[in-house]
Amino acid sequence: MKEEKFQFGQYSNENHTYYDENNEEYESFLQQTAPLIGYIVHDFNKLDESLNNAIWQIISDRTDEIGALITYKMNFSAKVDLFNRIIKSMEIGCDNEIPILNELIEKLKRCATLRNAVVHAEWYNMNEKGYTFVKLNFEKNGLKQHYWQFTPESLGKIVDLINETYFLFDTYYEQKDDLLSS
């Protein structure tokens, strides 16, 4: 997925074009991408649930309630951080590591970044090259507008990454069980 940054102008809309909803090219783009955006939302929720379950299981193997009380108001990034800290502490206590952990944590973070970009993108604010406004950032040269070029292919890759990360939990559970049984 390509990204472009533009200096924030006098007005926020200087760097994007507003497409007429009757524009055939824009309509075609929406028809191709809207279902993929839906899959990203759906599959990310499944990933979030897996993360919750992994945390809750570590906190108590007798009930999910205690873990749910801890995580119910946490955002995804905070849960990833909590999960990582709990597992790192377990690794220290066992004097061994779960080999897949770093990859799992990095992919969880990447999934969160991509999901947030897709969900919060201003889909009606695109420039002439098909770049969609995603976020503002204050950088050393001032306020920058970030645009990402979402395509059906790049959105499909996000869906694939989310599902790949979801299935990494299977490997994590196997390796965690090995760690605790050694």
Side-chain angles (χ1 to χ4, degrees):
M1 184 165 5
K2 295 178 184 175
E3 180 180 355
E4 286 188 352
K5 297 178 192 177
F6 298 99
Q7 190 70 37
F8 192 88
Q10 181 176 358
Y11 300 103
S12 65
N13 65 350
E14 289 179 7
N15 294 317
H16 37 257
T17 305
Y18 292 93
Y19 278 100
D20 178 358
E21 290 181 8
N22 296 321
N23 181 312
E24 287 181 28
E25 182 181 333
Y26 184 69
E27 275 301 308
S28 174
F29 175 78
L30 285 179
Q31 288 176 3
Q32 293 175 51
T33 58
L36 293 166
I37 294 166
Y39 280 116
I40 288 168
V41 171
H42 179 273
D43 292 349
F44 186 83
N45 287 346
K46 179 176 69 174
L47 182 62
D48 189 25
E49 182 181 349
S50 290
L51 178 59
N52 284 336
N53 289 331
I55 293 168
W56 299 349
Q57 185 183 75
I58 295 165
I59 291 171
S60 174
D61 60 356
R62 292 181 169 191
T63 179
D64 289 343
E65 184 178 17
I66 297 168
L69 288 168
I70 293 168
T71 62
Y72 86 102
K73 284 199 172 187
M74 295 175 78
N75 67 30
F76 189 82
S77 295
K79 288 187 274 189
V80 170
D81 180 60
L82 175 64
F83 176 68
N84 190 37
R85 286 184 288 121
I86 291 171
I87 297 299
K88 291 288 186 191
S89 179
M90 184 187 341
E91 288 177 332
I92 291 166
C94 293
D95 196 29
N96 206 344
E97 292 183 354
I98 297 174
I100 198 74
L101 182 64
N102 290 334
E103 179 184 351
L104 177 59
I105 296 299
E106 290 309 310
K107 286 187 175 183
L108 287 167
K109 290 177 182 178
R110 182 71 178 145
C111 288
T113 298
L114 294 170
R115 177 260 179 208
N116 288 341
V118 169
V119 169
H120 297 290
E122 293 183 12
W123 290 98
Y124 57 91
N125 287 332
M126 300 171 86
N127 68 18
E128 64 281 351
K129 298 181 204 169
Y131 284 77
T132 305
F133 176 67
V134 174
K135 66 180 178 176
L136 288 172
N137 248 5
F138 193 81
E139 300 176 2
K140 64 181 177 182
N141 296 332
L143 197 56
K144 299 284 185 175
Q145 291 176 300
H146 291 250
Y147 288 79
W148 290 11
Q149 191 177 44
F150 293 109
T151 63
E153 294 78 21
S154 67
L155 293 171
K157 287 180 181 177
I158 295 170
V159 171
D160 292 343
L161 176 64
I162 291 169
N163 285 313
E164 175 185 316
T165 306
Y166 171 79
F167 288 113
L168 275 182
F169 274 102
D170 291 338
T171 305
Y172 153 76
Y173 282 117
E174 290 171 9
Q175 292 180 359
K176 181 184 73 111
D177 290 345
D178 290 346
L179 174 74
L180 295 175
S181 66
S182 61

